[in-house]
Every structure is written in C-alpha cells, then in structure tokens.
C-alpha cells in the first residue's frame, strides 16, 4: 500500500484545529436489536456483560464510558494481562466476573502452522486475569494458524450467564457450564472452499445462529487443501449427483440446550459476509445477510437478503434482491428503515421493508479528504476529490459500522477512515497513521508511520514462531478480514492487525483531524498481531492479541 496518490483537488489548506473543538453531538440511533441482557445502568455508564462477538445489542455498539488512552508497551492503564499458550483471534466475551476466549492448541514446530485443527476454550477471572479452567474442542478440517482471514478460533464464545458455547471453525461447537463441565459437543467436517472469519454466531433467546453447509456429508468432500500447505487444483464443485444448493452455506438455527439444528434459511449466505441481526419496522427479529464476492462462491445469484427470526417464521425469506457483481465483504448493518452495504465502488442504501435499492452512490468521487502531508507534518484539507479507496470495493473487509446517519468504514487501498451520510450522501475521509510504533518510556515519543507500516513487522507466538499472516507486510487496511470497529458511547475504537488502535470521537460535525483523539497500542510495534475487536464491560476494555489477553481501564 503506497502513501501517495493522484488526488484531483479544488481547494487545499492546512489543518488548523488545535486544540480539538467539541462539536454538536450527532444523535445515536435507537438500538435496532432489543438488548438480549439487562444493562446495569440506565445512563449507560457501565454494562455488565458482552456476551457475544457483537455485544449485548448485536451491533458492536453500547452506551458507556470507556478508557480512551492506554499503552500495553508501557503498561499504561492496563489492569491485567494474561499470557496465552498459542495464537487466537476471537473477540473476548465477558459475563460479570468471567471472561471467555479461544486459542489454538500450541504448535510444536513452525511447519505445524499450516495444519492446525484443535482449539482451547478458556475461562478467566475478569478482575485478575487468572485462568480458572480450560477445555479442548477437536477439529477435522485443518487450517493455517493465525491466517489473515481465519483460523479455528475465529468466532467469539457466546454465554448466557449459565453456560458458554465455544466454536471451532475446523468443525465443532460445544456447550459448557460455568465450571467447565461439558453439556454437549457437536462435531462435523465443514466445507472448506474459502478462508473466512466473517459470519460471527449470534444468540437469540435459546437459538444460536451459525453459518454452515447444509449437506454435511457432501460438504465434507469439498476441501481447499489436500494436505497442509498443498492446495487442491481447479474449481471446487459440488460432488456429482448432489443438489448444488445442498452444499451452499446457510444461516442455521441451533438449539443452545442440545446442539440440534432447528431450522435454516433458504436464500443462502456467502462466508465473505457478516450477517447482522436487528428489528424490522414491525418490531420483529430479522437478520440481514448476503451472497457474492471473490473466488467463485457457490451461493448464487449475488445479492442481499433479509430473513425472519420471528417465532414461527424462523428462516423465512422476507425479501431477496439480486445485485450482479455484488461483493458483500462487509458487515450487513441495517435499521428499521434501511439496509446498508457497498456495491463495487458505490455505497448502497436499500429499503429495509422491500429490498428496493434507494441509492447507489460512488464513494471514490466528490469527497472531502484530510490527507497528511509528511513534509509539513500536518493534515491538509482537500475538497471535491477523487479518492482511490479501492479497486473491487472501497472498504477493508468487515471494518464498517453505522452510527446515526453515518456509515463509517476503513478504506481498502489507503489508510483512510471514511464515512458516508446515509441520508444526504456526503462523503468524508480522514487519513490515519498506518501504524503506531510506541515508545517504551513516553507517549510523546511514540512514532506514527504514515502511508505505509513498519517493513520489519515480525509478530511471533508464545513459542517464538513467526506466525500471523497480513501482520508482516500489511497494516490492517485492505485485503484482510479485519476486526469490526466497536462503539462505546461517543467513541469508536478501530483496531488494526498490528495492534494499533485508533480512537475516534463520533460527535464531530465534520470528519477532520480533531476526530482522532488517541492512537494506542496493544503491544510493541512490529511484534504485535490481532484480528479481534475491542470489547467492553464494567467500564473496562478487553483485547486479544496473538500472545495475551489484556484488560484496559
């Protein structure tokens, strides 16, 4: 990724917004998904639980007050840190005084990186970080450890306060009580046509929503890898004599008490997409999901769907809209009025009731941009510019969130934070530091790298093996299944694969440099790797890197 681009501009002026001006707050949307569990404070100062990847509201957003400055390198505002035996990428799940997370079983040699299957589910004390117990979940379909798109630990645990469910993307899920005793274990061989991290599980009442192949027997024969490091040749097709739709991947409803499949939707869901739950205008549960994307996915035609989760209508398609050339490598955020996404280089707004396309607007033209000038060591404002945010799509995979009237996203080809107003179509970008190289003694001496990251990044696991794809040559923007942003109160937390975490004030009227209130680290520059979102509970943030769990306060 290069720092320079040809930007046609009408005006140019330097940044002159120091110190930061506080602007009129934007109204946050009414939560579209009913809170599944109670929030401990009516003012939103603290929540007790972050029970699944997407949090208590199912949309990676909560009210509350979270710390905005910290440094794992210097131990600033770190309550505790617990070393882990192997790499993992799941979000941290919290219920009261319990924390849950997953890693792979430790590898013995670097060569073993290419063929991992089994994972470990951990329960930790939320106050001290002490490991209380751990369990192993087997897998059958091997995968590369700490890939830039997936490994077996890609999905966050789910808990309801009495039980916890761990998910092994390599072919199992298990239910355990809070003492670590297994209630049930479900095993299968997953279809492995693509690497993916996208479709996080959700818990709705007593049902777990999980994306998997319908025909398990036929799907088990469709494997991307013949052996560790040896890719299968040619296009992976459905076995002869098999219904092609039988080997599609779908959202399944699974009974949390037994592990039995209760229902599945019938439109299909590509694993490049992150489905998102919400409430329709009629107040009923539904889930937005999509098909399409690279590598010739089986699920066709490409397009967006909304599927009912209402009792008695689970899995029923409410509408499905065909969108030729659709690459839904994003989180399908929506509210009672609109479903949002990206189509080619356009921002997409669809009617949530009918699926009708209401607006399809280029996000690489006519934009406002604050670009960093390395010679002046300051930002310069450019208006009505062409921003080469991407080639096939403008967004970094999964790094998008809708807050009020603004759809926020990380750009694909450059280290820009973008947002588009879903009502007016205004498009704004702000260049962010591509990577933070934290100083070991002082925040004032932190080095911010612009345009490109540190060329000698070398993240290592607990055993010292250089694992962690996309963290060596990348910065976390672009072709990577990135962590979802998280909003706590007015602040947006943007974790990058290098352990850099940008904190954005979403209350600003215009996206400008004053929106960037802090750039923090989850560990030493060039040595840290993460694909986990930041999660929040009890006034604390939790983060998961390749080597440890961190509690920030």
């Amino acid at each position: 990724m290069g720092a320079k681009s040809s930007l046609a501009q009408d005006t140019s002026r330097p940044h002159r917004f120091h110190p930061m001006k506080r602007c009129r707050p934007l109204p946050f949307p009414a939560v579209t998904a009913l809170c599944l569990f109670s929030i401990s404070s009516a003012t939103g100062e603290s929540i007790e639980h972050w029970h699944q990847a997407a949090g208590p509201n199912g949309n990676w957003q909560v009210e509350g007050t979270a710390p905005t400055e910290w440094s794992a390198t210097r131990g600033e505002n770190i309550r505790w840190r617990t070393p882990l035996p192997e790499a993992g990428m799941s979000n941290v799940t919290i219920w009261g005084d319990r924390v849950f997370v997953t890693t792979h079983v430790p590898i013995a040699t670097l060569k073993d990186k290419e063929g991992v299957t089994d994972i470990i589910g951990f329960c930790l004390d939320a106050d001290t970080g002490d490991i209380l117990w751990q369990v192993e979940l087997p897998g059958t379909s091997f995968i590369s450890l700490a890939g830039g798109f997936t490994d077996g630990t890609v999905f966050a645990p789910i808990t309801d306060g009495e039980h916890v469910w761990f998910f092994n993307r390599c072919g199992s899920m298990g239910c355990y009580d809070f003492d670590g005793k297994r209630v049930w274990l479900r095993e299968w061989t997953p279809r492995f046509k693509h690497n993916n991290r996208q479709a996080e599980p959700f818990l709705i009442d007593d049902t777990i929503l999980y994306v998997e192949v319908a025909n398990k027997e036929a799907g088990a024969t469709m494997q991307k890898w013949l052996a560790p490091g040896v890719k299968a040749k040619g296009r992976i097709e459905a076995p002869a004599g098999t219904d092609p739709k039988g080997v599609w991947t779908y959202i399944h409803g699974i009974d949390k008490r037994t592990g039995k499949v209760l229902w599945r939707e019938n439109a299909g869901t590509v694993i490049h997409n992150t489905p998102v739950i919400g409430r329709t205008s009629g107040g009923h549960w539904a889930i937005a999901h999509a098909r399409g994307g690279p590598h010739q996915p089986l699920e066709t035609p490409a397009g967006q769907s909304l599927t009912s989760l209402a009792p008695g209508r689970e899995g029923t398609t409410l509408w499905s809209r065909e969108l030729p050339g659709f690459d839904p490598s994003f989180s399908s955020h929506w509210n009672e009025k609109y479903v949002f996404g990206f189509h080619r280089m356009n921002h997409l707004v669809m009617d949530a009731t009918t699926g009708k396309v209401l607006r399809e607007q280029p996000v690489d033209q006519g934009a406002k941009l604050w670009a960093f000038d390395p010679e002046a060591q300051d930002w310069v404002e450019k208006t009505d510019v062409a921003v080469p945010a991407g080639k096939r799509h403008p967004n970094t995979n999964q790094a998008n969130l809708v807050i009020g009237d603004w759809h926020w996203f990380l750009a694909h080809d450059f280290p820009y934070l973008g947002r588009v107003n879903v009502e007016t179509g205004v498009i704004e970008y702000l260049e962010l530091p591509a990577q933070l190289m934290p100083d070991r003694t002082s925040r004032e001496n932190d080095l911010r790298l612009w345009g490109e990251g540190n060329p000698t990044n070398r993240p290592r696991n607990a055993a010292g093996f250089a694992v962690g794809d996309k963290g060596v040559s990348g910065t976390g923007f672009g072709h990577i299944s990135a962590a979802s942003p998280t909003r706590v109160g007015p602040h947006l937390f943007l974790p990058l694969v290098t352990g850099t975490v940008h904190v954005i004030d979403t209350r600003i009227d215009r996206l400008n440099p004053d929106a960037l209130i802090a750039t923090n680290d989850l560990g030493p520059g060039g040595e840290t790797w993460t694909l986990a979102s930041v999660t929040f509970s009890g006034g604390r943030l939790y983060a998961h890197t390749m080597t440890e769990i961190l509690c920030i306060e």
Side-chain angles (χ1 to χ4, degrees):
M1 181 181 65
K4 298 187 183 297
S5 61
S6 57
L7 295 167
Q9 63 184 73
D10 287 344
T11 62
S12 178
R13 61 187 181 89
H15 172 233
R16 293 290 183 267
F17 285 96
H18 302 296
M20 189 179 83
K21 297 178 181 177
R22 295 292 178 182
C23 304
R24 176 179 56 84
L26 288 174
F28 290 117
V31 175
T32 59
L34 177 68
C35 295
L36 304 187
F37 300 100
S38 62
I39 294 178
S40 61
S41 170
T43 62
E45 286 302 309
S46 178
I47 64 166
E48 295 177 353
H49 318 302
W50 190 286
H51 74 285
Q52 59 186 359
N57 299 322
N59 61 359
W60 289 268
Q61 301 186 56
V62 294
E63 303 308 323
T65 302
T68 57
E69 288 192 357
W70 70 85
S71 170
T73 299
R74 294 183 294 272
E76 294 173 1
N77 296 332
I78 304 298
R79 180 181 177 88
W80 54 258
R81 58 201 310 167
T82 298
L84 296 173
E86 190 49 272
M89 61 178 68
S90 65
N91 291 2
V92 180
T93 298
I94 310 104
W95 188 280
D97 62 357
R98 300 293 182 94
V99 167
F100 303 97
V101 76
T102 58
T103 75
H104 268 284
V105 170
I107 58 175
T109 69
L110 183 58
K111 184 178 179 181
D112 294 338
K113 170 189 183 300
E114 300 301 328
V116 295
T117 55
D118 299 349
I119 73 168
I120 305 173
F122 290 92
C123 175
L124 296 85
D125 185 294
D127 290 322
T128 66
D130 293 338
I131 295 176
L132 302 178
W133 51 263
Q134 63 188 65
V135 295
E136 289 193 18
L137 281 79
T140 53
S141 183
F142 59 84
I143 201 167
S144 177
L145 174 68
F149 296 91
T150 191
D151 69 10
T153 68
V154 68
F155 303 130
I158 287 177
T159 181
D160 64 359
E162 296 181 355
H163 296 90
V164 58
W165 292 264
F166 294 111
F167 304 90
N168 184 349
R169 183 253 179 269
C170 296
S172 67
M173 65 174 66
C175 175
Y176 301 83
D177 67 19
F178 265 35
D179 293 320
K181 181 180 179 180
R182 190 172 79 189
V183 177
W184 54 259
L185 179 70
R186 178 173 177 258
E187 299 182 75
W188 70 99
T189 299
R191 192 199 80 186
F192 191 1
K193 178 173 167 55
H194 313 280
N195 290 343
N196 75 296
R197 81 155 280 120
Q198 285 82 351
E200 289 279 5
F202 287 92
L203 179 63
I204 298 286
D205 297 324
D206 293 331
T207 302
I208 295 170
L209 308 183
Y210 192 83
V211 175
E212 60 185 45
V213 67
N215 185 331
K216 305 294 188 293
E217 183 177 354
T221 68
M222 305 173 67
Q223 299 297 315
K224 180 176 182 177
W225 303 98
L226 298 176
V230 181
K231 186 179 291 188
K233 296 181 179 180
R235 177 177 165 84
I236 300 174
E237 303 280 4
T242 301
D243 178 5
K245 288 189 175 183
V247 293
W248 285 13
T249 47
Y250 300 86
I251 299 168
H252 288 62
I254 297 170
D255 191 326
K256 73 174 189 179
R257 296 160 295 195
T258 64
K260 302 296 184 183
V261 175
L262 301 174
W263 53 265
R264 68 171 173 86
E265 47 94 1
N266 53 35
T269 303
V270 73
I271 60 173
H272 301 304
N273 179 246
T274 299
V276 179
I277 60 172
R279 291 271 190 176
T280 67
S281 59
H284 303 295
W285 282 111
I287 187 165
H289 56 112
R291 296 157 304 285
H295 311 300
Q296 300 176 310
L298 302 176
E299 297 78 18
T300 57
Q304 181 75 46
S305 297
L306 192 70
T307 290
S308 175
L309 300 175
R313 299 196 65 200
E314 299 95 335
T316 302
T317 302
L318 298 176
W319 54 259
S320 193
R321 177 69 58 181
E322 183 175 347
L323 297 166
F326 198 41
D327 180 359
S329 298
F330 51 77
S331 297
S332 289
H333 289 290
W334 63 291
N335 57 34
E336 63 181 18
K337 291 177 61 179
Y338 306 126
V339 175
F340 309 102
F342 300 94
H343 188 197
R344 299 187 175 98
M345 292 303 297
N346 300 326
H347 183 253
L348 186 67
V349 179
M350 308 177 70
D351 187 288
T353 301
T354 65
K356 179 182 178 181
V357 175
L358 301 177
R359 182 189 300 120
E360 192 166 349
Q361 170 189 354
V363 296
D364 58 347
Q365 303 172 23
K368 300 176 182 178
L369 167 66
W370 282 93
F372 190 78
D373 183 341
E375 294 185 1
Q377 285 295 293
D378 204 351
W379 283 270
V380 174
E381 184 182 30
K382 305 171 186 287
T383 61
D384 194 24
V385 299
V387 177
K391 295 179 181 178
R392 190 176 65 244
H393 54 83
N395 58 296
T396 292
N397 301 6
Q398 278 58 59
N400 63 295
L401 201 65
V402 177
I403 304 172
D405 288 340
W406 293 95
H407 194 171
W408 299 74
F409 62 97
L410 294 183
H412 192 278
D413 286 2
F414 289 84
Y416 296 161
L417 171 64
R419 69 174 190 172
V420 55
N421 190 290
V422 302
E423 296 288 355
T424 67
V426 170
I427 305 161
E428 301 176 334
Y429 288 92
L430 171 67
E431 183 170 359
L432 299 174
Q435 184 176 346
L436 181 71
M437 301 296 287
D439 184 76
R440 294 186 180 274
T441 60
S442 169
R443 176 174 290 267
E444 287 70 27
N445 294 329
D446 285 351
L447 176 63
R448 291 164 176 78
L449 302 181
W450 297 90
E452 296 182 351
N454 174 39
T456 59
N457 285 343
R458 201 67 175 169
R460 298 178 184 272
N461 68 356
F465 299 130
V467 299
D469 295 346
K470 300 289 184 177
V472 176
S473 59
T475 59
F477 294 83
H479 192 52
I480 185 172
S481 290
S484 170
T486 302
R487 179 183 69 82
V488 181
H491 296 125
L492 184 64
F493 296 87
L494 300 166
L496 304 179
V497 70
T498 58
T500 299
V501 182
H502 297 299
V503 184
I504 304 296
D505 190 335
T506 63
R507 295 171 294 188
I508 46 94
D509 285 326
R510 295 185 301 126
L511 184 56
N512 61 55
D514 291 336
L516 178 61
I517 65 170
T519 298
N520 304 306
D521 71 87
L522 299 177
E527 303 173 22
T528 307
W529 186 96
T530 183
L531 280 181
S533 298
V534 175
T535 56
F536 174 76
S537 176
R540 304 169 184 165
L541 295 173
Y542 295 83
H544 181 190
T545 73
M546 180 183 292
T547 58
E548 60 185 353
I549 300 295
L550 297 128
C551 177
I552 303 162
E553 68 174 9

